[in-house]
Each structure stands twice: as structure tokens, then as C-alpha cells.
Amino acid sequence: MWKPPTVIANTTRGRTTEETRRQYMSEHEISVTVNGERHELAVEPRTLLVTALRDELGYTGANVGCETGRCGTCTVAVNGETIKSCTRLAVQTDGAEIETVEGLADDGDLTPLQESFQEHHGLQCGYCTPGMLLSADALLATNDDPTREEIREAIEGNLCRCTGYQNIVDAIEATADRLGERR
Amino acid sequence: MSDADASGDSGDDGSGAFGAAIERGEDVPLLTGSGEYTDDISRRGTTHLAIRRSDHAHARIENVDTGDAEAMDGVLAVYTGEDVVESGVPNTIPTAWDLPGLVQPQYRMLATDKVRHEGTAVAAVVAETPHVAHDALERIDVEYEPLEHVTDPVEAVERDVSPVHDEAEDNVAFDFELGDADATDEAFADADRVASVDLRQPRIIPNAMEPRAALADWDETTEKLRLWMTSQNPHLHRMLLSAGTLGLPENKIQVIAPEVGGGFGSKIYHYPDEAVTAWCSMQLGRPVKWQATRSESYLTDCHGRDHVTTGEIALDEDGTIRGVRVETHAGLGAQLSQFGTATPSYLYATVLSGQYTIPAIHCRVVGAFTNTTPVDAYRGAGRAEGIYVIERLVDVGARELGMDSVELRRHNLVAPDEFPYESAAALVYDSGEYERAMDLALEHVDYDELRERQRELRDEDRYIGIGVGNFIESAGLSPSGLAGDLGAQAGGWESSIVRFDSTGSVTVLAGTADQGQGHRTTYAQIAAEELGLSVDDIDVVEGDTDRIPQGMGTYGSRSASVGGGSIARGAREVREKARRIAAHQLETSVDDIEFEDGEFHVAGAPDRSLHIQAIAHEAYLGHDLPEGMDPGLEETNFYDPENFTYPFGTHVAVVEVDPETGEIEIERYVAVDDCGEIINPMIVEGQVHGGIAQGIGAALYEGAAYDDDGHLQTRRMDEYAVPHATQLPDFETDNTVTPSPHNPIGVKGVGESATIAATPTIVSAVVDALEPFDVDHLDMPITPESVWRAAETGGDR
């Protein structure tokens, strides 16, 4: 049986985290408000918004699926506009109001849309779900009675490999119906 | 105990949980963003791994200069293949399925001598941040001597090319045969007619939405490795890491699969990357995280399919199928992934009888090394490719005879009284009522009326097509002994623990691992049914090898049937122990104890009763148990099924094609699936929807391509067409229920069924629409361009 090394290899090449971090990064101070909470943070110029949200601030709900703006798993709202947060640099959002999936439920109470996703089995692995919810919310904010085709178009930029989309469309349609009844 | 108690109804009244469309308990964390996928997890002092990959399809590595990268601030270490070799670890990515005469070349964690496909891992950088790690990749200087490459499985073995591996000069990894060649030749000689089809099944890139990832934390003090990773089978990964790559004892490895964002096969395998992540942590004594980019996923996640096939079908004038003969070249990629050998051989050739009585079948498969990403099981794995072939053959056979394809299918279906049915392709089908499912599907579309409408529309130069796909699936990949006879290097059983706590709650620990299938809900339903409890009383735990001692994992549509079967058997053992305690405390014989809604009571005296949760308390108190009984109330179960299960069904698609533009519109898609007993109809429907989406994706949109330099052309999401919401129709689903006679809960499984069915169904429909243009086959993906060309040229492409 092979014996694992007890001496750490290559440690002479390594440096301690914080010291080198300051040394090799040129960082910018920015402030963002995420789900109503203000944060000050230092980011490299090239840091993507999704990376800052996930790695610096701990909002891991937005996921990274492609880094090219195609899959939509990183969808968040910036100043009310739904965007793919891998297509925006964190420094570009200095001073912005950002909404992520973590901000949807109120003290653990799911929103009607979230409830509807559960009722209609609109998610399986859940990886695309945060982005889907944000895109669907954006649709429902501007169109309170969308057709199924309009719903499909609204989530066209959010890929899902598990559900075949039908139950997601059902969930969004049912939410619109439910919100319509309340009006 | 009888395993034949179907549907969780074992004579006693269950809770009614089994069969209910219960909402998923796992949804809330996923809906609120609190669910943790691998990349969401961090350890104090986590470092970041990036992997330098070859941009050559085939080249000799002359030199790897890591000096500049090592000198970068924030870089902790740069490792090459030689460093891994020098560390003395076993460094072998193993195959898990042997075949006669199989050539098994060396497959190392990092390449040392040659790179054999674009994306081969050559060097590893560990740095303080992901940015620095990726920057450092650019500073590694790799000198290559390019070699001739080959990406096509036919060319690889038929053209004189430099071999991918020296061990296989002709690039043949295996030359596999199944069935009786002589009997098949005779059947073809005797038959009235023969029809044939040449077809390709393109490479599919699985595209789980979550790219693969790993976080390794080596504890030097305990010499134990903790590895969070995107895994469909954490125990299998533990075993392969131990025996194959790292050489640590299994009890010094903990593999944790947290939330896993889809798999579809791609997260079954032991790739170099996760082993390198773990090895780097062991070298540095620091936690190391690796997160694949999407391009890395495209280059390294095992692809699916890649078949080039000639199929022939021999028929009599009355439509009787006499024989089927198939020859396939299967691309295996540059290395043998664990099940890369099983998928195009046994998982493929054995389903070539489909739903039909076919007296003679022969199949030859040449498994070819190519300078491409390794190919392994993708949703439907082997069964999808095999059913595609037989369904295309039935369609071209019907065309040859001038017979309606549904009539030809009906004429040859295995009848309900022929089960268990032993096919000429070496399987024994457990149960089926094929005609019932087919008729139900045809009824949904009103088939006869539809054919009439098709004729009328053709007079108006409008072309609708009706596609019918009949399928079976061999699911479960067990029993172990049979799998072993066929070459499997792992068991086919599944394991679980059903455990009452002393206060009456239940934990089910399952050896399978969910990637979105809803195990936590369906397993709770199974246990609740058996124990007379509510699903809310049951907690299901998966995906942690330190919490769940043994398991095989989730693949081959096996979780509900094999994993669920194990849970049902364990729960029954627990219930019977509780019954003995109840009899003892109620001072009667075990035979006089009845069980209803969680309550044990004396027959004829319902007020003399004890609830199973109260008995759990008694079992752990241990004060008053039957003579000789050990305390506690839990069971560990290993379930090794008697046979595969055989889900089946019929899908029907109605499409309209426009010969002027080539556009294809799916008017209707009807799926009738029979997956045996249904545990949760909502989840079954979800599996069918997702399966259809992937099947349609393969038929119309997807397909990986290599350019002349051996570079993957489809390496980003804007180059590979994962279907969008606007590219898929609404689906209509229905079920018949034919229980598996040998499964403890009558379940057959549903994970892969719809993918298997949808691809031939859609192709059948498009080709049917183009019948007036003399088109009898089109290869996938069927694009508007291929439709347009076929309509122009009558199929002579």
C-alpha cells in the first residue's frame, strides 16, 4: 500500500494567503446593496458580478453554468433589470441595488412563484432554478397574463436540462392566474 | 419474506404514501438558494486548482516547462504527469467492464508521454485564487510534437492511421459479437424481403447544468481525505479512488456528493480531474477546489453515442420479422472510461429485439479508439442506440413491404402470455403488455383519423408526419452475478439502512445518489408505506460515504427499482421485528397481530394496540423485549435483484415539415410509458418530460463535431444546441401499469425511458412526413437544412 506523504511538498513556493493577496491584486472598493443589505467589498477589476456575489458575499444561489451568458443560471436583477451576472463586472455595479434568489422568500415564506414551482414540479436538480425564478418574476412584473408562448420566450435565455420546461411554464402560468385572481 | 409483494401492499394496510403525487421535500432549499452544490462549499484556507489541457488532438509531449508559472505570485505549486508518477500513487483510471480480448491502455491522471485528445490533462496549477490559477496556466510552456489524428470510428480502424495507443495498432479496443450469426444468415436467406439502413448516431454532450467540481481536504493528522464532488455514485468513486488512482484505503476516503446539478451519466465516471484535486490536497496539506468551466465540461465530460451502423431486417410478405443483422463501429474516444466498453456492447446489442419476437439476431460491434473525448453512458446508454436501430429498421421494413408501420409493429409484438420472454439477443424480459400501451398512445392521437388527415393535407402540399416509437429498456444493471458474467467489475446490488430513532422518527440511508430525481421524496414514500407512517416522519440521507456505509449509485434507471427495492425490504424487516415486540408486549402470538396505519393490534381486539413509533421506543429501552431479541430497531439491507427490469411504452409524434424551408414543427408529442408501479406520478411525469427533451434534442438539435484538426467545434453553449424553452412543445403523457413480477415494489424504473423513446419517434415522424419525397432515412440531428436537401433530392444526400 502506498503511504501518503507526511512532508508537504512544494511549500517553499507557497505564500500565505492575505499577504500575497494584497501584493498581487489591484483591488477596487465598491459597495452594493444585495436584497436590501448594503455591503462594502474590494474586488479585482476583472471579477465578475456573479463571482463577487458568490465568493465574496456568500450569495451562492446564483450559479455559474457557462461563463458566456448563454445558460442563465447566474441570472439576478440589478437596479430592477434582469441580467446574467456573468456578463457584468462587479466594479460596474458599484452602488447598485441587486436582487438574488435569496431575497425572494420572506422569512422563509415562499413567494407564490416559488410555491408554484414546487406544486408543478418545475424543478429537478435545481441548478437553473434561481435564474428561472428571477426571469419569471421579471416577466410577471410586466405582463400579468402571459400566454404560454410568451412564457417560453421569457425563459428562453435560461437553460434547463432536467424538466423539458413544460412544468416550469405551468408553474409560471399558474402563478399569473393566481395573482390575477387576487386583483 | 416474499419479494413478490407488489406495490408496497404486503397484505397489511400501508399509509397510502406510495402512489401519491406528493410535492418534493427537497424543493425548498433549491428554490431559496440555500441548497449547497459543490462549488458553494468552502473550507478555511481553500486553494484553487486549474488544469492545463492539450490543444492538440494527438501529440507527443516533448517538454513541460512550469518555471514561469511557478514563479508567479500566488501560485502554490505546478505539477506535471511526472510529479504524479514520482509520488508513487497507483495513478490508474480503471475500466469497470471487461470484454473478451479488450485492449486496456494505460490511463493516467496527468499525461506523461502523449496527449490523445484535445483537452487531455497535462499539468495542474494550485494557487491562492481561481484567477491566479487560470493565469498561471498560460505561463506553462508545453512543447508538443504533433501526431496524425483520427476522430471517426470507421476511419480509425479502416484507414491506415497512426494508432491512438501503441497497444492497439488497428485502433480496435474490442470486436464484440452477440447472437447467432449462422441462424441469422439463414433467416435472411429464407426471408421474402430484406431492408437495410445506414445510420449514424452523433456524439451527444451531456450538458448537466452544473459543471463538474471537486473540493478535497486532506487531513494530515488522521491521514484521511474528504472529497466533495459532483457524483452520481459516491461509493463507486470512493472505491475507484482507492483502488485506481490514489491507493488510500477506502476507510480513509470520505466522498460527499452534496446537491448535484444534473448528471445524465456524465457524473458516474472517475475522471482524472477529481483525482488530481485530491492528490494536490495531499501534496500541499491544504484544501483544494476545482471547478470545471463549461468549455472544460465540453472537452472532458464523457460524451455519449458516436455510432456508425449498418442495420438489416429480414421480413416475410405478411410482415413477420425473421431476423435482424447489425454491424456497428462505436467510437470510444481516446481512453476507456469505466463503462465505455459496456455501453456499446452489452447495453446496446441486447436490446435489438425491441418489443418484437425476432427469431434470429446477430450484432457485431467494433469498439474504436479515436483522438476524441472518451465516450461512455449518456441517458439511455446503449439501450437508446439499440432501440433507435430496431425502430429505424421496422420503419424501413414497413416501407419495403408497403405496410403501415404500426401494423408491422403490431404483427410482431411479444404477447403478454409470452413473458418471461427470452429474446434472441440474450435477455429475459420480465413482463410487458406492449399492445395495450401502443394502442393507448395511438388512441391519444386518433391514429386512423390522423393518417386520413395526412393524405388530405398532402393534396394541399402540406406534409405532416406521424412517428411511432416502441421501446423497451433493460434497467437496473443487476443482478450482480449476471453483470459479472458479462464483464462487470462491480456489483449490481443496492444497499440501504432503515432506522427508527428511539422517539419514533425514521432515517433512511440510501446508497444511491440523487441529481434531481427526487429520491428524498420517493424513498420517504416507500418507507412510509411499509411502516404505516407519514412521509414527514421519514428523513432520507444520500451522498455521503461516511454516513451511508455502502452503495452502488444512481445510473441505469435503477434507483427506484433497486434502491427503492432495498428500502422496501429493509422497512419490512423493521416492521416484522416491531411486530414481534408488539406480540410480546400485548401477550399474544405474532400471527395474531395485525398492522394498520402504523398500529399493531390484536386480531379481533382493536383497542389492544401499540403504535410502531411506541415500539421503536421500547426497542431502544430494551427493558421488555422477546427472549433472545437484540435491542434497537434498524435494518441494513443489500438487495440484489433476480433480473433486470424492463420498462416499456410507445411514444407518438406528429410533426409538420415545410419542404420549402426545411422547418420542422412538432404538433403533438404523446408519451405512454409503463414503468411498472408508480411511486409518485408527478415525479414520473417529470422524468418523462426531461427524457423526451433530451431525446428530441438528439433528434433535432444536438451533436458534437470535430474539425479537420481534431478540435472540438462545439465547445461552448452557443455552439452546441441544448434545447431552449421555445424549441420544445408541450408533451402529453400517460401510463399503463404492468408491475415487474420480481421487484419487491413492482417498480421498473423510468429515468431513461423517454430519452430512449423520443429519438426514434421524432426521426420516424420527420421521415414519414417526407415519404412523398422518397426519403426513407435522415441522420441526426435533423436540421432544416437536411430536411430541405432531402426534399430537394429525394434522400440522395
Side-chain angles (χ1 to χ4, degrees), chain B residues 347-404:
Chain B
L347 295 185
Y348 168 66
T350 53
V351 301
L352 285 169
S353 200
Q355 293 191 353
Y356 314 109
T357 305
I358 303 177
I361 294 174
H362 182 257
C363 178
R364 178 183 176 211
V365 182
V366 177
F369 289 115
T370 56
N371 295 110
T372 61
T373 299
V375 178
D376 207 325
Y378 164 72
R379 196 174 194 172
R383 285 77 38 89
E385 295 91 309
I387 293 299
Y388 183 71
V389 170
I390 183 62
E391 289 299 289
R392 293 305 309 131
L393 283 174
V394 168
D395 273 4
V396 296
R399 198 69 78 81
E400 172 71 25
L401 293 175
M403 191 180 224
D404 182 281

Side-chain angles (χ1 to χ4, degrees), chain B residues 303-319:
Chain B
H303 296 176
R305 321 300 193 229
D306 200 21
H307 281 204
V308 181
T309 296
T310 298
E312 297 168 281
I313 186 166
L315 301 138
D316 283 342
E317 293 290 354
D318 69 351

Side-chain angles (χ1 to χ4, degrees), chain B residues 232-233 264-265 268 305 347 377-384 430 471-478 492 494 512-513 515 517 519 523 553-565 639 641 643-648 673-677 679 684 687-688 691 694 740 742-743 745-757:
Chain B
Q232 298 182 214
N233 28 242
F264 318 113
I268 296 171
R305 321 300 193 229
L347 295 185
Y378 164 72
R379 196 174 194 172
R383 285 77 38 89
D430 61 350
F471 76 96
I472 61 136
E473 180 189 351
S474 53
L477 294 188
S478 41
E494 196 44 80
T512 50
Q515 320 106 52
Q517 294 91 340
H519 293 174
Y523 288 172
T554 291
Y555 47 83
S557 308
R558 71 194 301 275
S559 295
S561 65
V562 192
Y639 170 49
N643 189 2
F644 294 120
T645 54
Y646 293 86
F648 64 90
D673 279 82
D674 193 319
C675 57
E677 294 289 350
I679 305 164
V684 163
Q687 289 296 306
V688 171
Q694 283 176 326
S740 168
H742 62 84
N743 183 269
I745 47 177
V747 162
K748 287 178 175 242
V750 73
E752 299 170 284
S753 293
T755 304
I756 295 171

Side-chain angles (χ1 to χ4, degrees), chain A residues 1-10 13-17 20-21 23-25 44 46-47 54 60-61 63-68 70-71 73 101-102 105 110 114 117-119 121 123-127 129-130 133 148 152-153 155-156 159-167, chain B residues 23-24 27 30-33 37 39-40 70 73-76 78-79 87-89 128-129 131-132 135 205-207 209-211 218 220 223 246-247 260-262 264 282-284 293-294 378 515-516 682 686-687 689-690 693-694 702 717-718 723-726 728-731:
Chain A
M1 179 67 69
W2 170 77
K3 183 85 177 120
T6 49
V7 179
I8 303 170
N10 294 323
R13 287 183 237 159
R15 295 159 200 224
T16 56
T17 317
T20 43
R21 220 178 136 86
Q23 203 178 345
Y24 60 75
M25 285 181 178
E44 282 186 85
R46 61 175 167 176
T47 299
R54 289 177 51 81
T60 55
N63 291 315
V64 181
C66 73
E67 312 104 13
T68 53
R70 303 295 298 195
C71 80
T73 61
V101 69
E102 287 92 343
L110 299 184
Q114 286 171 318
F117 265 64
Q118 183 174 27
E119 281 168 23
H121 191 26
L123 65 154
Q124 290 183 28
C125 83
Y127 202 75
T129 308
L133 290 170
R148 291 181 76 81
R152 285 184 182 270
E153 279 162 23
I155 59 169
E156 191 179 28
L159 294 180
C160 170
R161 192 61 157 166
C162 295
T163 65
Y165 301 105
Q166 183 168 338
N167 288 350
Chain B
E23 287 176 18
R24 303 201 317 170
D27 284 354
L30 302 176
L31 285 162
T32 55
Y37 300 89
D39 192 39
D40 297 344
E70 284 170 11
D73 283 342
V75 169
L76 297 170
V78 183
Y79 299 110
S87 76
V89 296
E128 295 287 1
T129 73
H131 280 156
V132 174
D135 287 349
I205 300 179
N207 272 294
M209 291 311 299
E210 179 201 24
W218 169 250
E220 290 171 283
E223 297 190 343
L246 300 180
V260 177
F264 318 113
M282 294 168 70
Q283 296 297 306
L284 291 166
T293 63
R294 179 56 62 182
Y378 164 72
Q515 320 106 52
M682 183 184 79
Q687 289 296 306
H689 284 181
Q694 283 176 326
E702 300 183 39
M717 275 185 161
D718 49 1
H724 293 240
T726 49
L728 294 170
D730 279 337
F731 315 124

